[in-house]
Amino acid sequence: MVRLLCAALLLSMGSGLGGAVAQEPRRTGAADAPKTAVKLETVATGLAHPWGLQFLPDGGFLVSERPGQLRIVDRSGKLSSPIPGVPKVSAKGQGGLLDIALAPGFAESGEIFLSYSEPREDEKNGTSVARAKLVREEGGGGRLEDVRVIFRQIPSYRSDLHFGSRIAFAADGTLFVTTGERFVAKNEAQNPANHIGKIIHITPHGEPAAGNPNLSGWDPKVWSIGHRNSQGAAIDPATGRLWTVEHGAQGGDELNHPEAGKNYGWPVITYGIDYSGAKIGVGTAKAGLEQPVYYWDPSIAVSGLTIYSGDLFPGWKGNFLVGSLKFGNMQRLVLRDGMVVAREVIDPGFRDRVRDVRQGPDGAVYVLTDSPTGRLLRLTPGS
């Protein structure tokens, strides 16, 4: 893996969230990318902590809300009533209904995939993925039928934190699913026999996918280990490779391209420190453990990730767009030969935490903001 490891220079700036002042990281190894003029428009408002976004063939949108609702937003921005049939979720802390993905061939099959924090025995919970059929109804709504759970993270914990939960479809129709280390079980991210702090690679029916490492002592569904809490995942349309963004503790958010059978270090190595100020693990490097392609220190609280391939922003082709929960902005990373060489902070007035970032069929960039009255926003070139 090509590495970019360099010191961080801290810049003081307002976060735009409640007037608080936060430290915005600036990388000495990544120059400032040219500023992009963008126009921001609101597509829809009144979403309850929206988490995941998909584009429907009729020009509408499918949006998940963390409290447990799934809604259709039409092209005019009208919200449907909550869609019945959604699995029961543990909507506590960071948990709830999380990511959504449309199956390849959705226009014919209507199949979707949902990730969520599933209530388990003894008041425990864990990340699960369900497959269902979305049946559209008159009036713009719909319902879910044939709901089947295809993956359950094991073991379960009594924790409301770090569920991971992004879903990314590979070109062969298999799914990558990110899981968190649940905060209370960070050392289990190094145990390849379970699903804690892992990248999972499965078929649409939940079986281990072809190409998984299948190493001795590894769960057959595990692709890579040593992850903390990956909440962004995308497949590079040019190469077919998986990329993820992962939360660190205090500092140490990471950009990775997880490969089969490799160990990405958490909690043995990290560029962050504990919330108490204590050192985590052995430091920033150890033989046999992978380095991030890029890291943020201090952290920006990474969220959604998309790799731009559209024509509306020709200068962004091949660039990575990463949401920031902490600063309420979007960061554009320019890569060359697998290294981040430039970065632009884009903040046209999101106002709230940026939860998901997606490229639309029209080439525009769509953003979900995470609040009790969250918004679906559209970015196009400005003047």
Side-chain angles (χ1 to χ4, degrees):
M1 175 185 292
V2 179
R3 299 168 174 82
L4 179 64
L5 301 175
C6 53
L9 175 67
L10 306 183
L11 296 179
S12 179
M13 65 173 286
S15 71
L17 303 178
V21 175
Q23 293 292 317
E24 167 70 27
R26 179 182 176 89
R27 303 289 309 212
T28 57
D32 284 334
K35 284 291 184 182
T36 307
V38 297
K39 175 185 176 183
L40 182 67
E41 60 182 304
T42 300
V43 177
T45 60
L47 295 159
H49 292 287
W51 213 96
L53 170 68
Q54 289 291 315
F55 303 95
L56 297 171
D58 65 0
F61 310 86
L62 191 62
V63 179
S64 61
E65 296 175 309
R66 188 158 44 83
Q69 291 85 238
L70 184 67
R71 295 183 192 270
I72 293 170
V73 180
D74 69 17
R75 286 177 289 183
S76 72
K78 180 183 176 182
L79 276 58
S80 74
S81 300
I83 293 172
V86 173
K88 184 178 180 181
V89 305
S90 177
K92 301 176 182 178
Q94 297 174 357
L97 183 60
L98 302 173
D99 207 14
I100 49 177
L102 306 185
F106 167 82
E108 292 74 34
S109 70
E111 285 193 321
I112 68 170
F113 293 78
L114 304 170
S115 67
Y116 58 102
S117 56
E118 181 186 42
R120 308 275 177 84
E121 71 289 342
D122 299 326
E123 299 182 349
K124 298 178 182 179
N125 53 39
T127 301
S128 293
V129 176
R131 178 178 180 171
K133 183 175 182 179
L134 174 62
V135 178
R136 300 296 299 272
E137 296 178 340
E138 291 185 10
R143 66 182 186 277
L144 295 187
E145 295 182 348
D146 302 325
V147 180
R148 292 159 285 166
V149 178
I150 64 166
F151 169 76
R152 284 188 167 97
Q153 180 189 39
I154 54 172
S156 305
Y157 292 95
R158 292 182 182 179
S159 171
D160 300 334
L161 302 172
H162 297 191
F163 293 94
S165 267
R166 284 295 173 194
I167 302 170
F169 267 102
D172 64 359
T174 58
L175 292 78
F176 288 102
V177 180
T178 72
T179 70
E181 91 315 349
R182 306 306 318 284
F183 191 76
V184 296
K186 65 181 182 182
N187 292 325
E188 290 300 314
Q190 287 293 311
N191 180 357
N194 65 32
H195 304 146
I196 304 301
K198 307 297 191 297
I199 304 297
I200 303 299
H201 187 209
I202 55 176
T203 71
H205 299 285
E207 300 299 324
N212 283 359
N214 291 320
L215 299 172
S216 176
W218 283 51
D219 183 286
K221 297 178 182 180
V222 170
W223 176 259
S224 59
I225 72 173
H227 301 279
R228 186 172 183 263
N229 187 24
S230 302
Q231 290 193 337
I235 302 296
D236 187 340
T239 65
R241 299 176 72 178
L242 171 70
W243 291 80
T244 62
V245 287
E246 174 176 334
H247 286 263
Q250 287 201 98
D253 286 3
E254 296 181 358
L255 170 69
N256 291 301
H257 62 78
E259 297 180 272
K262 294 190 175 182
N263 185 339
Y264 289 81
W266 178 261
V268 181
I269 61 171
T270 178
Y271 283 84
I273 59 174
D274 199 357
Y275 297 108
S276 67
K279 179 181 178 181
I280 298 173
V282 302
T284 58
K286 183 178 180 181
L289 303 183
E290 300 300 310
Q291 289 287 335
V293 174
Y294 185 82
Y295 70 90
W296 291 264
D297 186 14
S299 62
I300 66 169
V302 291
S303 56
L305 167 68
T306 197
I307 302 170
Y308 190 80
S309 61
D311 295 324
L312 203 58
F313 292 94
W316 289 9
K317 283 199 174 184
N319 292 181
F320 289 43
L321 305 178
V322 182
S324 167
L325 294 164
K326 182 176 180 180
F327 295 103
N329 62 32
M330 183 178 75
Q331 304 209 354
R332 177 170 69 93
L333 303 180
V334 181
L335 277 73
R336 184 177 302 125
D337 297 327
M339 298 177 66
V340 176
V341 297
R343 186 198 68 150
E344 178 188 8
V345 176
I346 299 169
D347 186 3
F350 297 128
R351 298 204 312 268
D352 296 309
R353 292 152 51 94
V354 171
R355 171 57 72 183
D356 201 6
V357 178
R358 304 274 181 173
Q359 177 188 321
D362 57 357
V365 174
Y366 291 81
V367 169
L368 288 178
T369 65
D370 184 359
S371 82
T373 54
R375 294 171 296 151
L376 171 59
L377 305 173
R378 181 175 182 260
L379 270 70
T380 55
S383 57

